[in-house]
Amino acid sequence: MPPEDKNPSPESPNTPPTGTPPPVAEQPATPPPAAPVSEAVTPDTNAPEAPPPPVVPAAAAAVPARESTPPPLGNHMLKKLLLVLGGFLVLVAALSAFFVFSKASKAPEQVTVTAVKKPVIKIAVNPWKASELNAEIAKILLEEKMGYKVTLVPVDEYKMWPQLASGSLDAALEVWPSGHKDDMQKYIKTDKTVEDGGLLGPVGKIGWYIPKYLAESNPDLTTWQGFKDPKNTALFATGSAAMGEFYTGDPTWTQYDDQIIKNLQLPFHVVTLGSEDALLKKVDENYKAKKPIVFYLWTPHWAHAVYDLVPVTLPEYTDACYKDLKSGVNCDYPKDPLKKAFSSKLQSSAPNAYQFLSKFKYTNEDQIRMLASLQLKKQSTEEVARNWINNNESVWQLWISN
């Protein structure tokens, strides 16, 4: 087709009438050059109409719509997706298991750190064998079964009260109440800096004792009145002394013998030998030589398993007799249900140790057997304590259980 004439000339007589399409000429093999895009084209209203666009089949018209809709996944593609998803889930599970295992594996470390932070438990050891045994048994169980560090502190029974009150001591495991009424009133009831730790178990009784052989040869000496007789007094005198000798051990023990002797007007004086061992050595020497001796002792004590002893009957105990402990005692010692005392700070600083020591309790027979083993078997305090622990697991297991 020739290029379109931009300025058509007037119709000539040979031009077909308007509205009748001209015959279609043959299309040249080479298309004409297109007009430049920038060049404005004015449509020719008299130009013949352009032929209608070719009809596009429906299938071809739908093709562009497919570009916005993803094609359905094939089986191969679905398998790949499932494999990737499965691998991801396995990885998540493995990581979760790793973290759980890591936390579990750190649990023993955390327990060890907790044990290190436990406070040191400080237990009073008073100057007699039973107190040493009580403290040793508690020490072994607290350290080996409960993870505490324990320090045993030698201290006399009177000086321990302010230390319990300040917290420099945590516990005393054998308190004889009859000798500590003032201390218990001040520190437990008034100040509330020390706590009543409950009963230890054994019932103690301090008294005067003579050997059985002496009681059999001089029956009058089984009562305090017999010691008023000058003839009997002479049996206990040393050399030319006019007064008999009454023997005791450690000067820090609870004892009112000076007052009893003075208030009952007995011709005796107290000889303090300095320790329990020194007292028992004197008893042993006189016992073996069958010599007269009168001395301070108590039960439970191992000496009763070794020596055949008889208590001297003193005036019966009354509360009124012990009202004035400085100068007014003139009667027998009372029976003492032995007690424990704790610092009021112990329960908050070491609650498990507090529970253990609160439950710590055994019998007179337990203590007597242990004390006898110290003397008869010549065992150390630790050996005796461990033997008791080995033979009484059903007892102490209740102490360490919460």
Side-chain angles (χ1 to χ4, degrees):
M1 182 182 293
E4 193 175 22
D5 189 358
K6 292 181 184 179
N7 299 305
S9 57
E11 291 181 3
S12 63
N14 295 326
T15 302
T18 304
T20 302
V24 179
E26 286 187 10
Q27 188 173 350
T30 302
V37 175
S38 59
E39 185 178 354
V41 178
T42 303
D44 183 2
T45 55
N46 295 321
E49 291 183 5
V55 178
V56 180
V63 171
R66 274 190 243 154
E67 293 179 4
S68 59
T69 304
L73 293 173
N75 287 339
H76 181 68
M77 199 68 177
L78 184 59
K79 285 180 181 179
K80 278 189 175 182
L81 182 59
L82 290 175
L83 284 173
V84 171
L85 181 59
F88 175 75
L89 292 175
V90 169
L91 178 60
V92 170
L95 288 172
S96 300
F98 172 76
F99 285 120
V100 170
F101 177 77
S102 297
K103 287 182 181 179
S105 65
K106 289 181 182 178
E109 259 181 60
Q110 293 170 353
V111 170
T112 302
V113 170
T114 302
V116 171
K117 291 182 179 178
K118 287 182 177 179
V120 176
I121 306 300
K122 300 171 288 294
I123 299 177
V125 180
N126 303 128
W128 58 86
K129 297 298 182 184
S131 177
E132 293 177 15
L133 273 171
N134 300 333
E136 188 66 34
I137 290 171
K139 178 179 186 293
I140 292 170
L141 292 173
L142 281 167
E143 289 189 338
E144 299 182 8
K145 304 299 180 182
M146 301 184 70
Y148 286 94
K149 174 69 177 173
V150 177
T151 299
L152 302 183
V153 182
V155 61
D156 80 54
E157 58 182 312
Y158 292 98
K159 291 181 180 178
M160 72 182 182
W161 289 95
Q163 294 183 42
L164 287 168
S166 69
S168 57
L169 274 177
D170 292 304
L173 300 182
E174 189 170 306
V175 176
W176 291 66
S178 63
H180 295 280
K181 288 185 177 180
D182 290 345
D183 293 318
M184 295 172 77
Q185 177 64 45
K186 171 178 172 52
Y187 293 103
I188 295 177
K189 296 180 180 178
T190 304
D191 296 349
K192 301 187 185 303
T193 52
V194 177
E195 181 178 332
D196 183 337
L199 294 172
L200 173 65
V203 176
K205 172 68 173 67
I206 299 169
W208 292 11
Y209 289 87
I210 61 174
K212 187 177 182 181
Y213 60 77
L214 182 61
E216 290 175 344
S217 62
N218 298 77
D220 289 349
L221 295 175
T222 59
T223 69
W224 66 274
Q225 292 94 334
F227 288 84
K228 280 192 169 185
D229 186 336
K231 180 183 66 174
N232 290 334
T233 302
L235 296 173
F236 302 96
T238 301
S240 59
M243 299 182 72
E245 293 179 335
F246 177 91
Y247 292 100
T248 185
D250 194 292
T252 68
W253 289 346
T254 295
Q255 47 194 324
Y256 305 108
D257 308 300
D258 277 324
Q259 295 181 47
I260 294 171
I261 288 170
K262 180 180 179 181
N263 293 331
L264 295 179
Q265 300 179 349
L266 303 179
F268 278 76
H269 69 100
V270 175
V271 177
T272 302
L273 297 174
S275 68
E276 181 181 353
D277 289 340
L279 172 61
L280 271 297
K281 181 181 179 182
K282 182 67 175 178
V283 170
D284 187 66
E285 290 172 354
N286 283 42
Y287 195 92
K288 288 177 179 177
K290 301 292 182 181
K291 290 182 179 180
I293 187 170
V294 58
F295 57 96
Y296 171 110
L297 196 64
W298 63 89
T299 185
H301 195 288
W302 62 262
H304 297 284
V306 177
Y307 309 110
D308 200 349
L309 304 175
V310 175
V312 175
T313 302
L314 295 171
E316 186 176 357
Y317 167 84
T318 64
D319 289 341
C321 167
Y322 271 69
K323 191 171 183 179
D324 178 7
L325 295 178
K326 293 183 179 180
S327 61
V329 179
N330 62 358
C331 65
D332 198 3
Y333 289 87
K335 288 183 177 179
D336 262 337
L338 304 184
K339 305 197 80 174
K340 298 165 289 183
F342 306 149
S343 169
S344 60
K345 300 176 182 179
L346 178 62
Q347 185 172 13
S348 59
S349 65
N352 289 341
Y354 171 85
Q355 291 295 331
F356 165 82
L357 293 172
S358 298
K359 296 176 184 178
F360 187 98
K361 186 176 182 179
Y362 40 60
T363 66
N364 273 54
E365 291 71 24
D366 286 327
Q367 203 171 67
I368 289 172
R369 279 194 294 268
M370 287 189 285
L371 292 167
S373 293
L374 288 173
Q375 180 65 22
L376 301 178
K377 298 181 181 180
K378 305 299 180 184
Q379 294 178 331
S380 69
T381 303
E382 183 179 353
E383 287 175 322
V384 173
R386 288 191 179 278
N387 286 341
W388 186 89
I389 289 171
N390 292 339
N391 294 326
N392 292 275
E393 184 173 353
S394 61
V395 176
W396 58 258
Q397 279 287 359
L398 298 176
W399 303 348
I400 67 175
S401 61
N402 291 324

